[in-house]
Amino acid sequence: MSRILVTGAAGYIGSHTCVELLNSGHEVIGIDSLANSSAVAIDRVIELSAPMTFEQVDVLDAAAVDRVFREQQPDAVLHFAGLKAVGESVEVPLLYHRVNVLGTVNLLRSMTQHGCHDIIFSSSCTVYGNPDTLPITEATPIRPISPYGRSKAFVEKILTDTVAAHPDLRTMALRYFNPVGAHASGRLGEDPLGVPNNLMPYVMQTAVGQRDEVRVFGGDYATPDGTCIRDYIHVVDLARAHVAALDRLADLQTVPALNVGTGVGRSVLEIINAASVAVGSEIPHRIVERRPGDAAEVIADPALATEMLGWEATHTLEDI
């Protein structure tokens, strides 16, 4: 059993990962600013698994972060805290770089000062931008096309630089493709504050009448149905990838980055149609103009993650 500090613990991916960590026997210390999440998620995590420690701490507050390390003495960090909307990042790039980059710098500084050697970073497939070939491997060139993607790429470089200066530090960046779905209990899921920036919560809010229709950003992409294609991975599969990464990090030492996806692409219209079948009625939608920063098609090659972590996605689109 290890003491794991989880940043962004009340968020969508962080909360599901806390459940998997606790169920695997780890001790969890969660922090979250609650700017885009709710402490109710922590109550649900405890309900579904085991007790954990939680504090409302913003990773931008360097003094508060340092206090957590001093008092809790974690063995490893799973770093989820950050901003993640591609479209919003185009509008407010400085905010994205401040939160995503500076927040990580604060964590790394406290880690090196308090003898915490392991960190798994929540990166993103957006670092690849518009790839020349599919599926995307870890050797695909890093060419982000949005401030959000660039902030993730910057942090990966910062991790590399920090390891060079601190050889006892072990890091791994997991490049997520598109997390969707919810815990089988229905007690945890993706329930963003305000207008959702991701497809699935928008689809489901439309299904229950909170929104009139789903706006599909672009219908003229070079894809079979004209809408963007993404690799959608169930959030529980993604959470389990973090537990596998944590378990293997000591053996692997430092791994720059691994793709975490399914290897199967689904279009926006396919997702809407599958959701319509799941809820038993057609979900209204309308194609509108493209959104800045969106790539046409993004599909993972997760073979390296399977090889190195002994992990693979098992949930289907129907499960999602």
Side-chain angles (χ1 to χ4, degrees):
M1 183 176 73
S2 299
R3 290 172 61 80
I4 313 301
L5 175 64
V6 178
T7 74
Y12 174 46
I13 302 169
S15 60
H16 285 82
T17 303
C18 285
V19 170
E20 298 301 321
L21 287 169
L22 290 163
N23 287 342
S24 297
H26 294 291
E27 187 176 349
V28 174
I29 305 107
I31 62 172
D32 198 301
S33 71
L34 301 181
N36 290 313
S37 57
S38 169
V40 172
I42 301 300
D43 296 334
R44 302 284 176 87
V45 167
I46 294 170
E47 170 192 320
L48 293 168
S49 50
M52 62 173 283
T53 300
F54 176 75
E55 291 191 53
Q56 185 174 349
V57 170
D58 192 326
V59 290
L60 290 178
D61 186 341
V65 169
D66 201 64
R67 177 187 56 77
V68 170
F69 274 87
R70 185 173 61 253
E71 293 177 356
Q72 300 293 342
Q73 294 294 307
D75 300 308
V77 176
L78 298 191
H79 181 28
F80 300 99
L83 300 175
K84 63 179 181 63
V86 169
E88 182 184 57
S89 78
V90 176
E91 299 170 2
V92 285
L94 292 179
L95 177 63
Y96 270 67
H97 290 304
R98 179 170 179 264
V99 172
N100 294 354
V101 178
L102 180 57
T104 307
V105 169
N106 289 341
L107 279 172
L108 289 169
R109 184 164 45 194
S110 289
M111 286 180 65
T112 58
Q113 290 174 350
H114 294 278
C116 181
H117 304 299
D118 294 348
I119 180 169
I120 296 170
F121 171 58
S122 170
S123 193
S124 168
C125 64
T126 56
V127 300
Y128 296 114
N130 278 309
D132 295 328
T133 59
L134 294 172
I136 296 170
T137 72
E138 289 79 2
T140 299
I142 302 303
R143 296 184 308 213
I145 59 176
S146 69
Y148 167 66
R150 280 187 282 275
S151 74
K152 293 294 188 180
F154 290 157
V155 170
E156 288 190 15
K157 291 293 187 183
I158 290 169
L159 289 172
T160 301
D161 290 344
T162 308
V163 168
H166 298 272
D168 57 346
L169 189 67
R170 295 185 291 246
T171 72
M172 185 184 300
L174 298 183
R175 292 173 180 160
Y176 307 166
F177 280 65
N178 288 68
V180 286
H183 192 272
S185 66
R187 299 292 284 162
L188 278 178
E190 188 172 17
D191 188 20
L193 303 176
V195 179
N197 287 303
N198 294 336
L199 175 63
M200 190 61 76
Y202 210 107
V203 168
M204 288 305 169
Q205 287 185 10
T206 304
V208 298
Q210 289 180 242
R211 305 197 177 277
D212 294 333
E213 62 184 8
V214 179
R215 292 182 301 153
V216 179
F217 295 104
D220 58 350
Y221 286 96
T223 61
D225 64 18
T227 65
C228 289
I229 290 176
R230 295 290 182 269
D231 186 334
Y232 293 94
I233 178 172
H234 196 287
V235 66
V236 172
D237 282 329
L238 180 56
R240 290 172 180 167
H242 287 80
V243 178
L246 189 65
D247 291 344
R248 294 298 307 279
L249 190 56
D251 296 328
L252 297 171
Q253 298 302 310
T254 288
V255 178
L258 292 175
N259 290 338
V260 184
T262 68
V264 178
R266 304 282 188 175
S267 74
V268 174
L269 291 183
E270 282 184 277
I271 294 296
I272 293 172
N273 291 337
S276 296
V277 171
V279 302
S281 62
E282 185 174 348
I283 296 172
H285 61 275
R286 177 170 57 93
I287 294 176
V288 298
E289 291 183 358
R290 293 185 182 192
R291 183 172 55 183
D294 276 343
E297 191 169 358
V298 181
I299 304 172
D301 180 349
L304 189 59
T306 298
E307 175 188 341
M308 300 192 76
L309 304 181
W311 164 92
E312 61 182 350
T314 60
H315 290 76
T316 67
L317 179 59
E318 288 70 32
D319 295 329
I320 288 166

Short mmCIF file of all heavy atoms in Angstrom, two decimals, residues 18 30 87 90 113 161 172 191 220 265 285:
data_model
loop_
_atom_site.label_atom_id
_atom_site.label_comp_id
_atom_site.label_asym_id
_atom_site.label_seq_id
_atom_site.Cartn_x
_atom_site.Cartn_y
_atom_site.Cartn_z
N CYS A 18 -9.63 7.67 -7.97
CA CYS A 18 -9.59 7.48 -6.51
C CYS A 18 -10.28 6.19 -6.11
O CYS A 18 -9.80 5.45 -5.24
CB CYS A 18 -10.25 8.67 -5.81
SG CYS A 18 -9.27 10.18 -5.78
N GLY A 30 -6.54 13.41 -1.41
CA GLY A 30 -7.04 14.16 -2.56
C GLY A 30 -7.03 15.65 -2.31
O GLY A 30 -7.33 16.10 -1.19
N GLY A 87 -11.70 24.60 -26.95
CA GLY A 87 -12.27 25.86 -27.43
C GLY A 87 -12.02 27.01 -26.49
O GLY A 87 -11.64 28.11 -26.90
N VAL A 90 -8.50 28.55 -26.55
CA VAL A 90 -8.23 29.49 -27.64
C VAL A 90 -8.63 30.91 -27.22
O VAL A 90 -7.97 31.89 -27.57
CB VAL A 90 -8.98 29.07 -28.92
CG1 VAL A 90 -8.80 30.09 -30.04
CG2 VAL A 90 -8.52 27.69 -29.39
N GLN A 113 11.45 18.73 -2.93
CA GLN A 113 11.84 19.21 -1.60
C GLN A 113 11.47 18.23 -0.50
O GLN A 113 12.08 18.24 0.56
CB GLN A 113 11.20 20.57 -1.32
CG GLN A 113 11.78 21.70 -2.17
CD GLN A 113 11.04 23.01 -2.00
OE1 GLN A 113 9.97 23.06 -1.39
NE2 GLN A 113 11.61 24.08 -2.54
N ASP A 161 12.87 17.73 -18.31
CA ASP A 161 13.94 18.57 -17.77
C ASP A 161 14.17 18.31 -16.28
O ASP A 161 15.30 18.30 -15.80
CB ASP A 161 13.62 20.04 -17.98
CG ASP A 161 13.68 20.46 -19.45
OD1 ASP A 161 14.27 19.70 -20.24
OD2 ASP A 161 13.13 21.52 -19.79
N MET A 172 5.77 9.55 -15.61
CA MET A 172 5.10 8.96 -16.76
C MET A 172 3.95 9.89 -17.15
O MET A 172 3.18 10.33 -16.29
CB MET A 172 4.55 7.57 -16.44
CG MET A 172 3.92 6.86 -17.64
SD MET A 172 3.15 5.25 -17.23
CE MET A 172 4.55 4.35 -16.58
N ASP A 191 -20.35 15.35 -14.74
CA ASP A 191 -21.43 16.30 -14.49
C ASP A 191 -20.82 17.69 -14.34
O ASP A 191 -20.72 18.22 -13.23
CB ASP A 191 -22.20 15.90 -13.23
CG ASP A 191 -23.44 16.74 -13.01
OD1 ASP A 191 -23.92 17.36 -13.99
OD2 ASP A 191 -23.93 16.79 -11.88
N ASP A 220 -18.38 18.90 -42.33
CA ASP A 220 -17.71 18.85 -43.63
C ASP A 220 -16.25 18.39 -43.51
O ASP A 220 -15.42 18.70 -44.36
CB ASP A 220 -17.77 20.23 -44.30
CG ASP A 220 -17.13 21.33 -43.46
OD1 ASP A 220 -16.80 21.08 -42.29
OD2 ASP A 220 -16.96 22.44 -43.99
N GLY A 265 -11.97 4.32 -33.60
CA GLY A 265 -12.51 5.66 -33.75
C GLY A 265 -14.01 5.65 -33.94
O GLY A 265 -14.56 4.78 -34.62
N HIS A 285 -30.16 17.00 -32.69
CA HIS A 285 -28.85 17.59 -32.89
C HIS A 285 -28.87 18.44 -34.16
O HIS A 285 -29.74 18.28 -35.02
CB HIS A 285 -27.77 16.51 -33.00
CG HIS A 285 -27.97 15.57 -34.14
ND1 HIS A 285 -28.78 14.46 -34.04
CD2 HIS A 285 -27.47 15.56 -35.41
CE1 HIS A 285 -28.78 13.80 -35.20
NE2 HIS A 285 -27.99 14.46 -36.04
#
